[in-house]
Amino acid sequence: MTADQQHNKADKMKITVAGIGPGHELYLLPLVQQALAQADVIIGYDYYFQFIEGFTPNGVEKIALPLGKEEERAMVAIEKAQERKSVVVIGSGDASIYSMASIVYEKAAQVDLTALELETLPGISAFLAVGSKLGAVLGHDFCCISLSDLMTPWAIIEKRIRAAAMGDFVTGLYNPKSKKRYWQLARLIELFLEKRSPETPVAIARQVTRPEEEICLTTLGQLDPDEVDMFSLVMIGNSQTYRYGKHLVTPRGYLNRKPQTGEEIQKESFRIVAQHLQPLPYSIADKWAITRIIHTTGILEDHQWYRATEGALQRWHTFLHQGGDIVTDVTMVKAGITKRYLEKYGVRVHCFLNDGEALEQAQRQDLTRSQSGIRKAIRILPHALYVIGNAPTALIELSDELQRNKDFRPAGIIGVPVGFVNVIESKVQLAQSTVDQVRIEGHRGGSNVAAAIVNAAFTLEEAIPHFESKTIPTP
């Protein structure tokens, strides 16, 4: 050190808080080595001095205080700085993460010495060292939680645990266990299992980068708190993390980029909805119909109003693939049925809403146009699949015909008119018939919903990747 440097050093009060890394000398950053080499006083937990032996100058004053004396270390640092000595306060890992930086700055703020200069030098934190040892576990969003409730109330820690589990963060656990704090890790496991699979990968890293280093890979369901001690860091993966040999990998998304094309967006939307429906007690075919309905309405709770005859979707799937006819009450339903499916299977969609004969009949007999159109359809297409998405009078006409004409046997009826007049009544009438049917109870429904159900019947095989069953059962 030059004479000028010595003079400048003597003129100022300064405390440097430095992270010394997880233990191995190769993990000690050069700028921290430089600070240690220029120090007059080094203050820290006595256990940590062994890790900086080769980086301290001869004659440097070392002040070692045990665990629990963090506040005292900070006050001693301030006192030594007031003596115009170059003070370095060391902490393991990164000094600003669960280490000495916060208490030094807090105490400095209390003393409020305007001439006191503070500096924090970074270090390689234990969770970063563990992340590197594991390979790629920190590839996506992560958090760290200390399970020590010595200075933080457990209620706050538990709140953070729940948030981490629900938020699907990769989670590093500091201070997971000690002789006096033996139950907290078991409680965390219990809370995480409410949100995460028991198969979630977990690593227990003990004394990372030190000669005693041990890394054990396990799962959340198999994590044994007895295998953890105060020198351990526990790393819990998120729902996407997987084991690859001795590594843990958390995908960033490069191989599963955000959907961009219309088809990709639709498939991802189906996946999201299907995941929501997975535990519900519907058949695979009905789940697929509900998936497409919710994709149309955007309301995840719409499954509550869905009613269907058992096996109806499977029978309609066969009917449509064989080129069966469809009759709709309004042109909006017709427009919503995917044309590609119609062309592929030779299916014709009929709507007599604006048919000249039906219009004349409606005027002559004081009928609604949709009601008159359905009457004509019944006469010429008695075996079609009838799809009603708008007009309750059309659905009532179908139910009345089923009641009075036992020879009227349509392939089925999708009865989902929407509105507030005659809508509920029309669906009650349909429910009392034995025809294959799908209904949306109450006032809900609409042309888009009706078309979504038809599109679902066309594409039942697409349900297979989204749900547990690998086959579409035959009716």
Side-chain angles (χ1 to χ4, degrees), residues 1 5-17 32-43 57 59-63 76-90 116-117 119 121:
M1 186 179 296
Q5 287 175 322
Q6 289 278 15
H7 176 75
N8 292 336
K9 179 178 169 182
D11 283 344
K12 63 182 179 180
M13 294 186 292
K14 181 178 179 181
I15 299 174
T16 297
V17 188
V32 175
Q33 295 178 27
Q34 182 180 7
L36 292 171
Q38 296 176 358
D40 296 319
V41 182
I42 300 175
I43 302 169
V60 67
E61 182 180 3
K62 297 179 182 179
I63 301 175
V76 170
I78 292 172
E79 292 169 5
K80 292 295 182 179
Q82 288 178 298
E83 297 174 10
R84 298 303 195 268
K85 293 183 177 180
S86 177
V87 180
V88 176
V89 179
I90 60 172
L116 179 60
E117 181 181 343
E119 175 186 42
L121 300 181

Side-chain angles (χ1 to χ4, degrees), residues 30-31 40 122 208 210-211 224 374 390 403:
L31 77 170
D40 296 319
V208 66
R210 301 171 187 173
D224 183 359
I374 289 297
N390 181 269
Q403 182 67 27

Side-chain angles (χ1 to χ4, degrees), residues 249-285:
V249 181
T250 302
R252 179 67 178 90
Y254 294 108
L255 303 182
N256 186 27
R257 63 177 174 80
K258 185 177 180 180
Q260 295 178 340
T261 68
E263 183 178 358
E264 289 173 342
I265 292 170
Q266 183 184 65
K267 285 182 178 179
E268 177 62 8
S269 298
F270 288 161
R271 186 196 66 78
I272 292 169
V273 176
Q275 188 175 41
H276 175 75
L277 298 177
Q278 191 71 263
L280 299 179
Y282 299 100
S283 71
I284 301 300

Side-chain angles (χ1 to χ4, degrees), residues 191-208:
L191 294 173
F192 259 63
L193 285 172
E194 292 178 3
K195 300 294 183 181
R196 305 278 183 92
S197 165
E199 301 305 313
T200 301
V202 173
I204 302 171
R206 187 176 183 277
Q207 297 277 29
V208 66

Side-chain angles (χ1 to χ4, degrees), residues 214-385:
E214 296 178 10
I215 297 179
C216 172
L217 298 184
T218 182
T219 64
L220 186 60
Q222 296 294 320
L223 177 56
D224 183 359
D226 289 339
E227 299 296 321
V228 178
D229 62 19
M230 65 180 295
F231 294 104
S232 301
L233 185 143
V234 177
M235 189 75 75
I236 304 174
N238 70 10
S239 61
Q240 305 300 310
T241 304
Y242 62 90
R243 182 171 176 175
Y244 170 54
K246 63 180 181 179
H247 307 294
L248 296 185
V249 181
T250 302
R252 179 67 178 90
Y254 294 108
L255 303 182
N256 186 27
R257 63 177 174 80
K258 185 177 180 180
Q260 295 178 340
T261 68
E263 183 178 358
E264 289 173 342
I265 292 170
Q266 183 184 65
K267 285 182 178 179
E268 177 62 8
S269 298
F270 288 161
R271 186 196 66 78
I272 292 169
V273 176
Q275 188 175 41
H276 175 75
L277 298 177
Q278 191 71 263
L280 299 179
Y282 299 100
S283 71
I284 301 300
D286 287 323
K287 283 182 180 178
W288 182 238
I290 297 169
T291 296
R292 298 199 68 128
I293 291 169
I294 292 174
H295 176 256
T296 297
T297 65
I299 302 173
L300 288 170
E301 292 74 26
D302 270 354
H303 69 87
Q304 299 176 45
W305 293 275
Y306 178 88
R307 304 290 184 273
T309 306
E310 184 177 354
L313 269 297
Q314 292 95 327
R315 286 186 282 274
W316 294 345
H317 180 73
T318 301
F319 173 80
L320 294 173
H321 281 220
Q322 292 175 348
D325 288 297
I326 297 173
V327 172
T328 69
D329 60 333
V330 293
T331 55
M332 286 181 65
V333 176
K334 180 178 180 180
I337 299 172
T338 302
K339 292 180 175 58
R340 184 172 74 255
Y341 306 151
L342 301 175
E343 293 170 356
K344 181 176 180 179
Y345 298 109
V347 174
R348 293 176 298 171
V349 181
H350 309 268
C351 180
F352 299 104
L353 182 69
N354 298 311
D355 177 79
E357 179 185 344
L359 290 172
E360 182 183 347
Q361 178 180 255
Q363 188 173 22
R364 187 175 66 252
Q365 298 183 12
D366 195 24
L367 304 172
T368 65
R369 288 192 298 151
S370 55
Q371 185 180 9
S372 181
I374 289 297
R375 283 193 179 181
K376 178 172 181 177
I378 290 171
R379 188 173 72 252
I380 63 176
L381 295 164
H383 304 302
L385 173 61

